[in-house]
Amino acid sequence: MDRDELYELLDIEAPSDFEYFENLAALIECEEHIEFEELYALLKDVNKESLLTLISNYFEEISDFIPGESADFYLLMDKIKLSLMGLTKNSDDEENILVNLVEELNRFRIWYSCDSEVYCRVISDNTEISHTLRDALILARLEKIDGDKYEYDFSKCFDYQLDEYIMSFGDVIGAVEEESYEDSYVDEPLDPYDVQ
């Protein structure tokens, strides 16, 4: 896929246009081969604050459709999200971090949309279908609307490895976000003389 094809897929004319949920969804859900150089050139010039928000929103969206009994899988997806956000946050500072971001985002894309395997069992007739994670979560979404009811087996997806170096960025950003969230809800001591 060359640059023109990539931009057409993402519905953008330049990296500065990469600012909507649909842009990131189109990238992550693409099954075609994307050259490293093209993805690097795109992410190098994308607004990193926008990309942070898009990654957070995308993972929140797909997490809403992970079945409730899959808590371990939910935690894995949360770690992947934090890692990608940590790399994004630091990718303007060092070129090697941007390289890591491109590699990790592309690795996640290939795993999520092409290589992952989820067993989906139709409850009504006990038939089992194998889907990629992307397609299994689409099934879960349709199920909430009015589709067949399924049981999902995510056990084959737990082989997704996060490098310790990559994880450290996720841990840092996760801790910072949690701390800022807690700080925003610290109760102020009441002033007994402040009567309203």
Side-chain angles (χ1 to χ4, degrees), residues 1-121:
M1 181 180 295
D2 63 23
R3 185 163 305 183
D4 290 340
E5 292 169 327
L6 178 60
Y7 285 11
E8 183 178 352
L9 169 76
L10 303 178
D11 196 24
I12 62 173
E13 293 183 4
S16 58
D17 299 328
F18 192 95
E19 56 182 1
Y20 298 106
F21 181 91
E22 292 76 14
N23 303 136
L24 183 64
L27 177 62
I28 290 177
E29 295 167 13
C30 173
E31 296 178 13
E32 296 177 49
H33 175 73
I34 300 174
E35 294 291 340
F36 174 87
E37 294 76 15
E38 298 303 340
L39 195 51
Y40 180 90
L42 171 71
L43 294 181
K44 180 175 182 287
D45 293 327
V46 163
N47 179 285
K48 300 307 185 293
E49 287 301 317
S50 294
L51 185 57
L52 268 175
T53 302
L54 293 176
I55 291 171
S56 178
N57 291 345
Y58 186 81
F59 276 84
E60 288 300 319
E61 171 81 11
I62 63 177
S63 293
D64 285 345
F65 298 102
I66 297 174
E69 67 273 11
S70 309
D72 289 342
F73 184 69
Y74 184 91
L75 288 174
L76 171 64
M77 295 296 281
D78 198 52
K79 285 182 180 179
I80 296 170
K81 175 186 84 168
L82 291 175
S83 296
L84 290 173
M85 290 179 69
L87 288 169
T88 301
K89 194 166 184 68
N90 292 282
S91 61
D92 276 340
D93 300 333
E94 296 181 43
E95 185 175 343
N96 67 316
I97 296 177
L98 178 60
V99 168
N100 284 329
L101 170 63
V102 174
E103 290 173 345
E104 284 303 306
L105 187 61
N106 197 45
R107 189 165 74 93
F108 173 73
R109 176 187 70 83
I110 293 168
W111 173 75
Y112 178 75
S113 294
C114 304
D115 295 344
S116 55
E117 193 172 17
V118 178
Y119 295 113
C120 309
R121 187 177 67 81

Side-chain angles (χ1 to χ4, degrees), residues 188-196:
E188 295 281 333
L190 293 176
D191 182 350
Y193 299 105
D194 184 17
V195 179
Q196 296 185 6

Side-chain angles (χ1 to χ4, degrees), residues 65-70 118-131 135-154:
F65 298 102
I66 297 174
E69 67 273 11
S70 309
V118 178
Y119 295 113
C120 309
R121 187 177 67 81
V122 184
I123 294 174
S124 61
D125 61 10
N126 218 30
T127 57
E128 193 170 79
I129 315 162
S130 175
H131 284 292
D135 293 346
L137 293 180
I138 289 171
L139 267 186
R141 184 177 305 177
L142 293 173
E143 181 181 347
K144 289 182 185 288
I145 297 170
D146 195 22
D148 288 329
K149 302 300 179 201
Y150 293 86
E151 284 184 354
Y152 301 88
D153 178 0
F154 293 96

